[in-house]
Amino acid sequence: MSCWSLVRCLDINAANRSLMHERAVRRHSTIDWTAKYGVISGWSVHLALSLGAQARFSAGTLGPPSLPIYGSYWFVLLCNYKKLHKGFHTLARWYNTKLLGLHLGPFPTVVACDYATVKEVFTRPQFNGKLDCFLSQERSMGKTLGLFFTDDKLWIEQRRFTLRHLRDFGFARRFSPQEDVVNREVLDMVAFLSGSTSIQDHDVFKDGCALMPHIFSPAMINCLWSILASDHFPPESHGKLREVGAAAYFFLKEVQPTGGALLLTPWLRHFAPRTFGYTALVKGTGAVTDFIKVAVKEHKQTYLEDDARDFIDEYLKELKKCDSSSTFSDDQLLMIGTDLTIATSAALPAIISFAIILLVHYPEIQIKAQKEIDDVVGRDRAPSLDDKSRQDPE
């Protein structure tokens, strides 16, 4: 299993340089670049990385050389232009290393390339930092706000506040009102797919075919919205929620995890904004932020000091206590709502879609799962969290 994480780093352990270089040279003869990428491109990579191994070894870093403008990013693109994680994987195999050292433009970078190393990176607080850059500022009113791209004091305070008050309204714990919301959304989804409702939306469901992941966005947003804004969108409004989910998915799909050429050369947005992800960054995030603005505006008009209905009310209450030096602000509230909605309306539906795809490809697992549901729940009622204790632990 491959897992990837990018972290800033200044150097690699000097004691292992000689050994890693020796392994890279041995690995040099084992990869058939010609068969994978064609004669011309294959031998171009072969030659460049052979020279790069020597150049980077003498500089104390194992990885491809740094070229003008984009640094080592040229070689990542050459290995796999569309799927960068596979490009990193190819380079790591070439150098036979778990830590790939390279420059993404001017930024010295290390890519952790196996499960154990990634796990170690995620558990060490030194690697919690995030890059304050053009991309993080452009999506949030010229400042780095929200939860996705922040760190240090702002991230610590805002994350702690967000988790505490989301839990108050049912997030990540047993909470009957929230469980009722989830059950209602499941039943609405079943009714929609079975055709037992008058609501029809041929954009996402027609002739027994469902468009994933967009068909799941309304249910996911409603589950979040009961906590965030104490509100619910009926099935008649699900088209609007799917538009929000599509904008969020557009952002996640088109903006590269590394920032790509847009991060390294922001002026490209003036010439090909869609090609380099600028359109997805601005319009994708912007559509979700506009959705949050409506809810915040309604809450400000109906706010009562002694009656906190949901997370937005709790945040407005905290805002009234804070001075100008605080990390709490109106814009930060908008970006917290934006980040939570993007993750809920796009990332979760994508995960569910992958699960369904896997069940389709492995029907024996699908049969086993259906049998367990029939044994534990039956077919006369909807499942609940109480059924979890009756499941087979294996």
Side-chain angles (χ1 to χ4, degrees), residues 84-265:
L84 298 186
H85 66 285
K86 291 188 176 182
F88 286 122
H89 185 59
T90 297
L91 291 172
R93 286 192 293 111
W94 174 265
Y95 288 103
N96 194 24
T97 181
K98 298 177 181 179
L99 287 174
L100 181 68
L102 70 165
H103 277 76
L104 296 180
F107 304 113
T109 306
V110 166
V111 184
C113 305
D114 73 318
Y115 176 78
T117 309
V118 170
K119 183 178 180 181
E120 181 181 358
V121 167
F122 281 152
T123 55
R124 292 176 62 178
Q126 321 65 318
F127 299 119
N128 282 343
K130 300 176 182 115
L131 189 63
D132 187 357
C133 63
F134 161 78
L135 295 182
S136 60
Q137 296 170 7
E138 193 72 9
R139 65 186 288 272
S140 53
M141 292 74 78
K143 298 168 282 187
T144 299
L145 299 173
L147 298 173
F148 283 175
F149 300 104
T150 54
D151 60 6
D152 204 30
K153 179 184 176 183
L154 190 153
W155 181 78
I156 293 172
E157 288 186 352
Q158 296 298 314
R159 178 179 180 273
R160 183 183 296 122
F161 179 90
T162 300
L163 287 176
R164 182 171 76 247
H165 289 290
L166 288 181
R167 283 183 61 84
D168 289 343
F169 296 101
F171 175 75
R173 69 184 181 94
R174 293 297 303 268
F175 188 65
S176 295
Q178 184 62 18
E179 291 177 32
D180 292 340
V181 171
V182 175
N183 285 333
R184 179 179 60 197
E185 293 304 318
V186 170
L187 293 177
D188 284 348
M189 175 67 72
V190 171
F192 177 66
L193 294 176
S194 64
S196 59
T197 175
S198 60
I199 303 298
Q200 294 186 356
D201 193 337
H202 295 310
D203 289 338
V204 292
F205 186 67
K206 184 178 181 180
D207 298 330
C209 296
L211 179 64
M212 300 188 297
H214 304 298
I215 195 169
F216 300 118
S217 294
M220 299 295 105
I221 294 177
N222 265 335
C223 290
L224 171 68
W225 216 240
S226 66
I227 298 174
L228 206 64
S230 61
D231 201 359
H232 170 263
F233 293 91
E236 294 79 9
S237 301
H238 282 189
K240 176 183 178 181
L241 299 186
R242 274 191 281 273
E243 290 177 3
V244 174
Y249 189 71
F250 182 45
F251 165 71
L252 292 181
K253 183 173 180 289
E254 297 297 327
V255 178
Q256 294 182 4
T258 63
L262 187 61
L263 170 64
L264 304 178
T265 46

Side-chain angles (χ1 to χ4, degrees), residues 31-46 94:
I31 297 181
D32 186 1
W33 292 97
T34 302
K36 192 169 183 180
Y37 297 106
V39 175
I40 297 177
S41 64
W43 281 105
S44 297
V45 174
H46 181 96
W94 174 265

